[in-house]
Amino acid sequence: MLKIQNDPTAGHDSGTPPASIYGMALEQFQAAADRLGIDEGIRRVLSTPKRELTVAIPVRMDDGEVRVFRGYRVQHNLSRGPGKGGIRYHPDVTLDEVKALAMWMTWKCAITGIPYGGAKGGVACDPRGMSEAELERMTRRYATEISILIGPDRDIPAPDMNTDGRIMAWIMDTISMHGGFTVPGIVTGKPVSIGGSLGRVDATGRGVMIAVREAAARLGMDLRGARMVVQGYGNVGSTAARLLAQEGCVLIAAADSLGSSYYEGGIDPNDLGAHERSTGTVGGYPGSEPVSPRELMSLPCDILIPAALEAQIRGDNAAGVRARVVVEGANGPTTPEADRILEDKGVMVVPDILANAGGVVVSYFEWVQDIQRYFWDIGEINQKMDRIIADSFAEIFAISQREKVDLREAAMLLAVSRLEEAIKVRGLYP
Ligand code: GLU
């Protein structure tokens, strides 16, 4: 088959991202707080992260030079339980972004009814340019620096963009070495051999698949033959594409930061995954054509899954979206301005805090299994997660119908009211 050279500009942003991602998260919160008419004091509490830790991470690189990386751990709110949220390694990580991601974790745990507060961490680094040994040293020093905040009863990290089971194992080992005993519940998303849960690797993508299934049922859309476009082909995007293909959906285009592939006849998600592993990008898949980021977002399709960074669907490209449903695999991929445009166009948006919650739900199962030292089979894990996502979807859908708001605002109404309740019932200390 013909191998088409990819567009080198594909995958780059096509407009200006918002000045502050935290500002975007705050705007979503304020809309829900206004509608609920919540107490001004509680509004102030929820607008301000409880703890923001910035650390310097000195690392000896393989060439002997010492570099200092910036790392963060933010706990947005702990009223409903210990902090929970992933750790991201990316060159663009900032405190502003980590604060937004931590706030979204608070809402995500609240709407799924799991007993956690919201937290997030990140290190500004380019993991692609680092050796395995450098990554390990950086991870162990970062874990040490944030050890003043984390713990199985305090704050439990997990994988996020560019972090995985291997990195979680280093964090678990580092904290365990400090204590002199093994602490499996310190992180989730660990390898199964050291107390990880079956099903955790696929959990976020599986949750996206369930969210698509629930949305399709409400839209009267048949999944068989439904055309999907996936932006970002990491763990979440690739797993969602693979599981949705099993339901009969057809992947017509995918993109990552280095390239894109579009083929109307349908791309096998597994073959595309193998192509990505061998070439480092989904671009240049045999028989496909490249598309620009703007074209990708405006391809006629049924399901659009943004599964990359924040603020990808914005005021400047939202009007071009021709999907019936946008299901947010990423955190914060749609700006508030784009939300309004999509709502006017009648495009359903399944918000991140619902659509990608499968990951943290199975993280919760992992933590419960670690604490109980008793492990469940994969059938039980997948079935329990499916039920939580489907029930949360139903609850949020009912709120959106009753209050005549979109699904994001409905999800936020549920989340913020649960936080308001928890804060009120605990009372203000002292
Ligand atoms: N990083 C994932 C998220 O954004 C998972 C967090 C977790 O499992 O704690 O939801």
Side-chain angles (χ1 to χ4, degrees):
M1 250 193 282
L2 181 70
K3 186 162 175 172
I4 295 173
Q5 205 48 45
N6 226 347
D7 172 3
T9 62
H12 295 156
D13 288 352
S14 57
T16 331
S20 163
I21 301 293
Y22 189 63
M24 203 176 113
L26 263 184
E27 193 175 330
Q28 295 166 348
F29 163 64
Q30 274 152 1
D34 286 348
R35 193 173 284 268
L36 288 167
I38 69 166
D39 180 274
E40 194 55 43
I42 290 180
R43 187 191 281 256
R44 284 188 200 121
V45 169
L46 287 172
S47 299
T48 321
K50 178 182 175 69
R51 296 189 177 110
E52 301 170 25
L53 176 66
T54 299
V55 297
I57 310 162
V59 179
R60 190 170 304 282
M61 307 306 277
D62 292 344
D63 63 4
E65 191 197 340
V66 174
R67 284 187 53 195
V68 178
F69 296 89
R70 273 267 172 237
Y72 308 95
R73 186 74 188 172
V74 173
Q75 297 172 343
H76 169 256
N77 186 279
L78 305 182
S79 303
R80 298 185 61 263
K84 189 83 192 80
I87 289 169
R88 171 172 297 203
Y89 287 176
H90 193 277
D92 299 336
V93 164
T94 60
L95 179 61
D96 175 82
E97 180 194 33
V98 177
K99 281 164 62 181
L101 291 162
M103 182 188 252
W104 287 324
M105 287 307 302
T106 301
W107 313 140
K108 205 181 290 188
C109 296
I111 61 168
T112 47
I114 59 177
Y116 288 133
K120 202 80 173 199
V123 179
C125 65
D126 183 4
R128 278 189 296 207
M130 294 170 71
S131 71
E132 168 125 356
E134 288 169 343
L135 264 183
E136 178 171 351
R137 289 194 290 274
M138 186 185 80
T139 299
R140 287 185 183 276
R141 183 61 184 256
Y142 170 65
T144 303
E145 296 298 339
I146 65 166
S147 64
I148 55 174
L149 286 187
I150 63 173
D153 296 318
R154 305 165 74 200
D155 180 357
I156 306 110
D160 196 78
M161 194 174 283
N162 297 325
T163 56
D164 55 14
R166 183 185 51 150
I167 286 167
M168 295 307 116
W170 291 330
I171 297 177
M172 185 273 234
D173 184 67
T174 301
I175 302 299
S176 299
M177 288 299 117
H178 293 173
F181 55 95
T182 295
V183 193
I186 184 88
V187 284
T188 58
K190 298 178 294 297
V192 171
S193 56
I194 54 168
S197 178
L198 294 173
R200 177 62 186 87
V201 175
D202 283 356
T204 312
R206 178 172 293 277
V208 170
M209 179 273 284
I210 295 162
V212 171
R213 186 193 70 202
E214 296 302 310
R218 267 84 178 178
L219 290 167
M221 181 171 101
D222 194 350
L223 285 186
R224 277 162 310 172
R227 290 170 309 161
M228 57 179 166
V229 171
V230 178
Q231 188 214 27
Y233 213 69
N235 175 265
V236 180
S238 66
T239 305
R242 180 167 51 79
L243 296 176
L244 282 162
Q246 286 170 13
E247 302 295 313
C249 298
V250 181
L251 178 67
I252 61 162
D256 57 29
S257 59
L258 300 174
S260 60
S261 285
Y262 165 53
Y263 175 54
E264 194 58 43
I267 299 169
D268 182 309
N270 287 312
D271 288 352
L272 185 64
H275 170 83
E276 192 272 338
R277 281 188 295 279
S278 66
T279 65
T281 172
V282 294
Y285 182 75
S288 75
E289 290 170 52
V291 283
S292 71
R294 180 172 284 277
E295 284 165 344
L296 183 91
M297 289 300 191
S298 58
L299 288 172
C301 65
D302 299 293
I303 306 155
L304 174 61
I305 303 177
L309 283 166
E310 301 88 13
Q312 298 299 299
I313 308 180
R314 296 181 289 258
D316 63 317
N317 64 1
V321 170
R322 283 190 279 170
R324 290 178 72 187
V325 59
V326 175
V327 181
E328 298 183 330
N331 290 308
T334 312
T335 65
E337 190 186 354
D339 265 334
R340 291 187 282 272
I341 297 170
L342 294 175
E343 197 186 3
D344 288 348
K345 280 171 65 87
V347 177
M348 180 192 269
V349 178
V350 185
D352 47 7
I353 55 174
L354 171 61
N356 71 33
V360 74
V361 168
V362 178
S363 274
Y364 166 57
F365 296 162
E366 179 172 332
W367 180 75
V368 169
Q369 293 171 84
D370 286 338
I371 289 169
Q372 298 186 337
R373 307 288 200 264
Y374 179 74
F375 291 85
W376 314 345
D377 65 49
I378 184 71
E380 185 172 2
I381 290 159
N382 285 345
Q383 188 204 334
K384 283 196 159 92
M385 189 264 274
D386 194 317
R387 208 168 126 200
I388 290 179
I389 303 294
D391 286 355
S392 304
F393 194 112
E395 195 167 5
I396 289 164
F397 191 79
I399 296 171
S400 90
Q401 302 261 292
R402 193 180 66 227
E403 301 294 325
K404 299 190 175 29
V405 293
D406 65 16
L407 290 177
R408 186 179 326 275
E409 194 159 349
M412 287 298 296
L413 293 176
L414 182 61
V416 175
S417 59
R418 286 192 173 157
L419 263 297
E420 182 185 25
E421 164 72 17
I423 293 170
K424 272 198 181 142
V425 85
R426 284 181 63 155
L428 186 64
Y429 175 88

